[in-house]
Amino acid sequence: MTNIPETGRTPRVQIRLIVIQILVLSLLGTLFGRLWYLQIREGDAYAKEASGNHVQQVVDPAVRGSILDARGVPLADNETRLVVSASRTDLLKMKDDGEAVLAKLAGVLGMTPKEVQEKVRLCDAKTPQPCWNGSPYQPIPITDEATPKQALQIRERAEDFPGITAEPQAVRRYPSPGEANTAQVLGYLSPVTDEEITKAQHTDSPYLRSDQVGRSGLERQYDKELRGKAGVTRYEVDNLGRVIGQAKPDPAQPGSTLVTSIDARVQRVAEYELNEAMKEARKQMDRNTGTNYKADSGAVVVMEAKTGRVVAMASNPAYDPNAWVGGISAKDYAKLTGKDSNYPLLNRAIQGQSAPGSIFKVVPTAAAINAGYSFDGPYECSSSYSLGGQVFKNFESKGYGPISLGRALEVSCDTVFYRLSHEEWKRDGGSKPKKHPNDWFYKTAHQFGLGAETGIDLPNEVTGRIPDRQWKQNYWKANKDAWCKTGKKDGGYAERIAYENCLEGNRLRAGDSVNYSIGQGDTLVTPIQMATIYGAIANGGTLYDPSVGKAVISNDGKNVTEIKPKAHGKLPISRQTLAEMDDALAGVATRGTAAWRFAQVGWPQDKIPMHAKTGTAEVYGKQTTSWFATYTKDYTVVMTISQGGTGSGASGPAVRNIYDALYGVSDDGAINPKNALLPRPEAALPKVQTDGTIKAPKVPKDPAKDQRATQKGTAEQDGQQQAATVTTPPTGNRNTRRRPRKRGSRRMLT
C-alpha cells in the first residue's frame, strides 16, 4: 500500500476548516443579530404582545342611562332579565358546527331548531332578518325571556350545552308610561358592528364588542352620554388557560341620565288624538274621488313657543320599540320595513315632507311686505284668477272683494296671493328674468328657515324644499333626459307636463310662482319646520332650534349639564308686521277658517288667546293633505294628516282636544285647573335625590282617555242644564258635531 504524503492533504483540510469556521461565525452573527433585534430593538413591543397572550379580558357591560320625561317619568330604562346566549366561536369548533347543541337548546327554550339557528347566523346583504349584525366573537343572545327553570336546566347541565350561557343581564326597556309610545323620538338599539368598532378606535369613546348602540332617535343622538363605559377585568392565565392572577379591574361606569322636555301625559294625548283623527277621516267621503279618505299617515308637534322645546311629538303609523330588544324577529322586521308597512320607523314630524297648503301663507305675507306692499291693501279677493289661459280658482270659487293681507289670512284667500306673486314675477323680468332678480317670495322663505334643517337634536332630519331658480335649474339637469324621452306634446296630462319640462323645465314660470304662493307646486315642508315658524311668530320673531334633550345628569346625580335653548335666526319682518300678522291669525280662530273649531264652539279667547291657520294641500295623484298650525302664548301645535281632507275638518278636532288637555278647557270654554295637564311649560328639572336617583311622579293609566271621559262628563252636565231651560236637544260632543254653514262657504274648512 502506497502512503500518501501528509503534506498533500493539509492545505485542503485547512481550507475546509476555514470555510466551516466562517459559516459557523456567520450563523452565530446572524443569530446574535436577530436576538439583538428581537430583545433590544423590538423588545418592548414583543414583551407587550407576549404579555397580552397571557392576559384574558372579561367585559362587564355598562348599564345604559335612562331617558326621562320633563317630570322624571322613565321613557326608556333597564330591567333585569335572564338572557340565554351562544358563543359562535365555541359552536364552530364542534364537528357539526353546534347544530346538535342548538337543537337541544331549542327544546329547552320552547323554540324550533330553525328559530335558534337563525338567531346565531351572521347578517349580510343576502341574509334576511333575524340574524346577528354584531361581532361574531361576542356571545349572541338567543332570548332575553328565559324562565328561571330554563336557565337552571342550562346551567346544571353545562356539559350538554357547551358554548351556551344563561345569566341575568340588564336589558333595555321602553315602558310607555300612561300608554305614551314615543317610539320615533326614542329610537332603538342594536349591537355594534366591526366597522363601527374600527372607526371609533382612535376616538374618545371607543366601542367594545359587547356594546349596544343607538340606531335612531334620542338613543342615537345621545348615545355617547347614555352608553357609559364598560368595565374590564384582566386575568393572567398560563398556557393551559388556568387563572394564575388578576390585574386591577376597571369598574364599569353607568351611563348618564337624559332628561327630555317631553311630557308623557301630553305625548299620550297627542298620539291618541292623531290616531283618532285619522280613524275619523277614514269614515269621511272625499267628494273628489268618490271614496273615503285614506288618512294613511300623520304627525303632530307640541312645542314650547318661547324656547323651542318639544313637549310632544307623535308620528303615525308607529311601532313598539321593545320589538328590537334582544333581537328582532323576521315577522316584526317585515312589519316595520316591508312594502306594505307604510314605514313606521320614519319620524314624520322631522322626516315627512309634503306641500303645506295655506299654512304657508304667512311666508308670502311677509314677502309681500318686504317687497314694498302695504299690509292694509286693499287687494282683490276674487273667486278666480286667470293666467295664460289657465284659471286658478279660489277654494270653492268664493270671493270676498277688496281686503287686506290680514283678512286674506283669515279667510285664506288664494287669489290675493296669486296676484301678488304674479306681479313680483313680472317685476323680476318674467320669462326673461333680470340678472339679479329680487325673488322676494323665495328669499323670504329661506329667511324663515325653510329648505334647511331646523337643528333639532334628532338624527336624519330632512330639509324640505323651496323651488327657487337654483333648484329649478338643478332639477331640470337631473331629469331632462327622462322628460324628453317620455314627453308628448298631445299626450296625457303627465306626458304633456314632461314635454313642457323637457323644453323649459329650468325656467321659473308664472304658474310656478302662482302655485308656490299658496304652498303648492314643488314646495315641501316638514311639521317641525312649520312648528318652528309659528313658534317664532308667537314669541316675537325668534327662530329656535327645536330641542328634545333638556339636561344630562351623571349616574351619581352630582353633575347636571343643562341643554339651553338655541336660536338660529330671526323672522325677516318688522315688529309692526309681526303684530299685524299675529292679530290676523287670532282672527282665523275667532272669525276665520278655524272659528268653528274654537270661538264658535266655546274657547276662552279672552284668557287664552288662540291663533291659527288652516291648510288643505292638493297633491297630484293623491287625496288632499290636512294641515292645522296654531299657537298660544305658551305652545305651538302643528298637525298634518296625509290624504286626510281639509285642515280644520280632519286635524281641527284633534288639535282642539290637545289644547283642552293642556289648559283644562271644557267643551263650553270654561277652564278647570284640576283637569289641566300642563297649563304652563315645565321650567324646572326633576329633583335628584342624594343617591343619584330621580323619583318619578305617577302617571295615569291613560291620560288621553281620562281627558275624553272628563270632556264627555262636562258635555253631559251642560246638556242636562240646557234641557231644563230649552226644548232643543244638544248637538252632541264637539268631536263629531259640525256647525251649520251657509251655502257655498266650504272655504271655512280650509
Side-chain angles (χ1 to χ4, degrees):
M1 184 173 181
T2 305
N3 293 326
I4 301 173
E6 291 294 328
T7 57
R9 297 181 58 184
T10 302
R12 285 195 297 243
V13 171
Q14 289 177 340
I15 290 172
R16 288 174 182 173
L17 289 173
I18 291 171
V19 170
I20 291 172
Q21 289 173 352
I22 291 172
L23 288 173
V24 170
L25 289 173
S26 297
L27 290 173
L28 288 172
T30 302
L31 178 62
F32 282 114
R34 184 62 178 167
L35 287 173
W36 176 86
Y37 178 82
L38 293 176
Q39 295 185 1
I40 306 300
R41 175 75 180 272
E42 298 292 332
D44 292 341
Y46 283 103
K48 185 177 181 181
E49 186 174 337
S51 175
N53 289 337
H54 295 281
V55 174
Q56 295 294 331
Q57 295 184 352
V58 176
V59 176
D60 179 20
V63 177
R64 194 170 180 87
S66 298
I67 302 175
L68 310 180
D69 85 343
R71 302 189 308 145
V73 176
L75 300 173
D77 57 9
N78 307 285
E79 63 180 351
T80 301
R81 295 187 191 177
L82 286 170
V83 179
V84 175
S85 303
S87 169
R88 184 179 172 82
T89 304
D90 291 343
L91 293 176
L92 292 178
K93 291 178 181 178
M94 304 175 192
K95 291 183 179 180
D96 61 351
D97 293 335
E99 286 188 17
V101 172
L102 294 177
K104 270 192 260 182
L105 179 63
V108 172
L109 298 178
M111 302 169 68
T112 66
K114 181 182 177 183
E115 288 174 326
V116 177
Q117 287 281 358
E118 288 177 341
K119 288 278 190 176
V120 299
R121 65 184 179 181
L122 302 180
C123 292
D124 57 31
K126 298 180 180 179
T127 305
Q129 291 283 344
C131 57
W132 177 249
N133 66 346
S135 168
Y137 304 103
Q138 178 183 341
I140 302 173
I142 306 298
T143 180
D144 59 6
E145 297 179 344
T147 65
K149 181 179 178 181
Q150 291 169 336
L152 191 61
Q153 281 182 271
I154 295 168
R155 300 192 70 161
E156 286 187 340
R157 295 162 50 197
E159 68 279 1
D160 293 334
F161 298 101
I164 307 298
T165 58
E167 55 189 18
Q169 291 182 15
V171 176
R172 202 58 164 169
R173 181 182 74 128
Y174 301 95
S176 297
E179 301 298 320
N181 178 265
T182 331
Q184 290 91 347
V185 175
L186 294 172
Y188 59 92
L189 305 175
S190 70
V192 67
T193 64
D194 285 344
E195 183 181 357
E196 289 170 327
I197 292 174
T198 302
K199 285 183 178 180
Q201 276 182 349
H202 303 294
T203 67
D204 61 349
S205 183
Y207 290 121
L208 294 173
R209 294 193 181 278
S210 59
D211 281 338
Q212 294 268 322
V213 296
R215 294 300 177 197
S216 68
L218 295 171
E219 293 280 29
R220 176 176 170 181
Q221 186 74 23
Y222 292 94
D223 181 74
K224 181 179 177 181
E225 291 82 359
L226 293 167
R227 185 162 25 101
K229 185 178 180 181
V232 178
T233 302
R234 298 172 181 83
Y235 293 97
E236 296 180 22
V237 297
D238 60 17
N239 292 334
L240 297 178
R242 294 174 298 193
V243 177
I244 59 176
Q246 178 180 341
K248 185 178 180 181
D250 297 328
Q253 298 176 12
S256 298
T257 296
L258 174 66
V259 178
T260 71
S261 54
I262 298 289
D263 186 292
R265 302 165 303 170
V266 181
Q267 177 70 25
R268 169 55 180 164
V269 171
E271 292 172 353
Y272 180 85
E273 294 299 340
L274 174 62
N275 190 60
E276 290 297 300
M278 292 172 63
K279 290 197 297 185
E280 182 63 28
R282 295 184 194 117
K283 299 176 184 177
Q284 306 302 318
M285 176 71 71
D286 178 5
R287 64 181 185 177
N288 294 321
T289 63
T291 60
N292 285 7
Y293 286 107
K294 295 179 182 179
D296 52 359
S297 62
V300 60
V301 176
V302 182
M303 181 189 293
E304 294 179 10
K306 296 177 182 177
T307 64
R309 286 181 170 140
V310 176
V311 178
M313 177 181 285
S315 179
N316 193 309
Y319 68 96
D320 181 6
N322 289 296
W324 294 90
V325 177
I328 191 167
S329 68
K331 184 178 180 181
D332 287 339
Y333 188 77
K335 285 181 180 179
L336 298 181
T337 60
K339 292 182 179 179
D340 298 328
S341 67
N342 203 11
Y343 309 108
L345 295 179
L346 284 177
N347 183 349
R348 285 173 165 83
I350 66 170
Q351 296 172 302
Q353 304 178 105
S354 63
S358 292
I359 69 166
F360 181 74
K361 287 175 180 172
V362 293
V363 175
T365 297
I369 301 302
N370 291 342
Y373 295 90
S374 167
F375 191 88
D376 295 330
Y379 304 99
E380 183 62 30
C381 178
S382 56
S383 61
S384 63
Y385 184 72
S386 297
L387 178 65
Q390 186 175 357
V391 177
F392 293 84
K393 293 184 178 181
N394 215 6
F395 197 82
E396 287 202 343
S397 301
K398 184 172 179 60
Y400 290 87
I403 60 176
S404 67
L405 284 177
R407 183 61 176 160
L409 287 174
E410 290 178 8
V411 299
S412 204
C413 180
D414 294 340
T415 54
V416 166
F417 297 98
Y418 290 155
R419 283 186 170 85
L420 288 169
S421 64
H422 189 204
E423 181 64 27
E424 277 305 294
W425 178 80
K426 289 188 292 186
R427 284 187 178 184
D428 285 331
S431 58
K432 296 180 179 180
K434 298 185 296 186
K435 188 175 182 180
H436 298 291
N438 290 316
D439 284 339
W440 284 110
F441 278 56
Y442 299 95
K443 184 188 299 183
T444 302
H446 286 295
Q447 291 171 333
F448 266 69
L450 297 177
E453 296 178 4
T454 63
I456 189 170
D457 55 344
L458 289 174
N460 301 320
E461 181 188 5
V462 299
T463 62
R465 182 170 69 206
I466 296 300
D468 54 19
R469 296 180 194 274
Q470 187 60 54
W471 178 85
K472 289 283 288 185
Q473 183 68 25
N474 296 340
Y475 192 66
W476 179 71
K477 285 183 179 179
N479 295 279
K480 180 184 177 183
D481 292 342
W483 284 333
C484 294
K485 185 177 180 180
T486 60
K488 292 182 181 180
K489 185 177 181 180
D490 300 319
Y493 176 78
E495 291 172 323
R496 294 197 308 272
I497 294 296
Y499 177 79
E500 292 177 9
N501 286 336
C502 171
L503 296 178
E504 53 181 30
N506 59 331
R507 291 187 180 181
L508 188 62
R509 294 166 289 196
D512 295 325
S513 292
V514 164
N515 272 323
Y516 167 77
S517 71
I518 61 166
Q520 295 282 178
D522 294 311
T523 309
L524 294 176
V525 302
T526 64
I528 195 67
Q529 287 176 327
M530 299 314 294
T532 302
I533 286 173
Y534 278 84
I537 298 173
N539 67 39
T542 302
L543 290 161
Y544 281 103
D545 294 5
S547 60
V548 183
K550 197 173 182 180
V552 175
I553 302 176
S554 62
N555 65 86
D556 57 7
K558 294 180 179 178
N559 298 315
V560 178
T561 304
E562 290 193 50
I563 302 170
K564 300 288 187 181
K566 295 180 181 178
H568 60 262
K570 300 281 289 185
L571 292 179
I573 50 180
S574 66
R575 289 187 179 182
Q576 179 180 345
T577 300
L578 187 62
E580 291 171 330
M581 194 180 294
D582 181 78
D583 183 64
L585 294 173
V588 175
T590 56
R591 55 186 177 268
T593 57
W596 69 305
R597 289 304 182 198
F598 290 104
Q600 295 174 8
V601 289
W603 178 260
Q605 188 72 11
D606 57 332
K607 297 181 177 65
I608 309 172
M610 178 61 64
H611 305 74
K613 188 71 197 78
T614 56
T616 306
E618 296 178 359
V619 182
Y620 177 71
K622 292 187 176 183
Q623 296 168 311
T624 55
T625 299
S626 169
W627 282 93
F628 203 40
T630 59
Y631 66 86
T632 63
K633 61 182 176 63
D634 305 300
Y635 301 106
T636 301
V637 180
V638 173
M639 180 178 287
T640 183
I641 300 176
S642 171
Q643 304 196 90
T646 62
S648 59
S651 301
V655 172
R656 169 65 194 262
N657 287 341
I658 292 171
Y659 277 113
D660 287 349
L662 285 167
Y663 290 110
V665 179
S666 65
D667 214 32
D668 60 357
I671 301 174
N672 187 342
K674 293 182 180 179
N675 296 335
L677 293 181
L678 201 63
R680 289 175 301 279
E682 189 73 48
L685 292 173
K687 186 177 180 181
V688 181
Q689 301 184 93
T690 54
D691 60 356
T693 60
I694 296 174
K695 187 175 181 181
K698 291 183 178 180
V699 178
K701 185 176 181 181
D702 192 334
K705 291 184 178 179
D706 290 348
Q707 287 292 320
R708 283 289 183 102
T710 300
Q711 293 295 336
K712 184 178 180 181
T714 303
E716 289 176 351
Q717 293 176 6
D718 292 345
Q720 293 172 358
Q721 293 173 359
Q722 292 175 10
T725 57
V726 299
T727 57
T728 304
T731 57
N733 189 280
R734 168 174 46 77
N735 298 310
T736 58
R737 71 170 179 256
R738 300 288 187 269
R739 293 188 64 82
R741 291 177 276 109
K742 295 180 181 180
R743 185 176 180 181
S745 64
R746 192 170 182 269
R747 190 67 184 87
M748 294 293 286
L749 292 178
T750 65

